[in-house]
Amino acid sequence: MSEGSNLSCWLCDRPLGDIEQWHHPVPKAKKGKVKVPVHPICHKTIHANFTNNELARIGEDAEKIRDNPAIAKFVAWIANKPSDFDAPTR
């Protein structure tokens, strides 16, 4: 990420750190074109909890993703972690 950038993560809304990834809310395999910035740990968490078909049905609505109980728990847990925090995902 470039210095001075003020992007925040699409999933957790924390500021992005030095490492950012780009997530297709509607997967490329499902003809998704839009990309949103996410932390690597947030990206892994999204894909660990949703199939491409589920993501395609949900679309670009991050709030619907955050409504999932596992994601809500994750977002609450990661809220006060540093921008570049990473850990294994289940």
Side-chain angles (χ1 to χ4, degrees), residues 35-87:
K35 294 190 291 185
V36 294
V38 292
H39 296 104
I41 193 170
C42 294
H43 201 190
K44 290 186 281 188
T45 299
I46 291 167
H47 287 288
N49 285 279
F50 295 95
T51 65
N52 279 353
N53 286 337
E54 290 169 327
L55 291 172
R57 282 193 299 273
I58 293 167
E60 297 173 32
D61 189 348
E63 198 58 44
K64 284 186 180 176
I65 297 284
R66 288 188 290 268
D67 284 345
N68 174 285
I71 299 294
K73 183 177 177 181
F74 167 81
V75 169
W77 172 76
I78 199 131
N80 295 315
K81 304 280 190 275
S83 297
D84 287 319
F85 177 80
D86 198 14

Side-chain angles (χ1 to χ4, degrees), residues 13-24:
D13 208 32
R14 294 177 304 134
L16 290 169
D18 291 332
I19 301 172
E20 65 188 46
Q21 293 183 352
W22 292 88
H23 169 67
H24 289 84

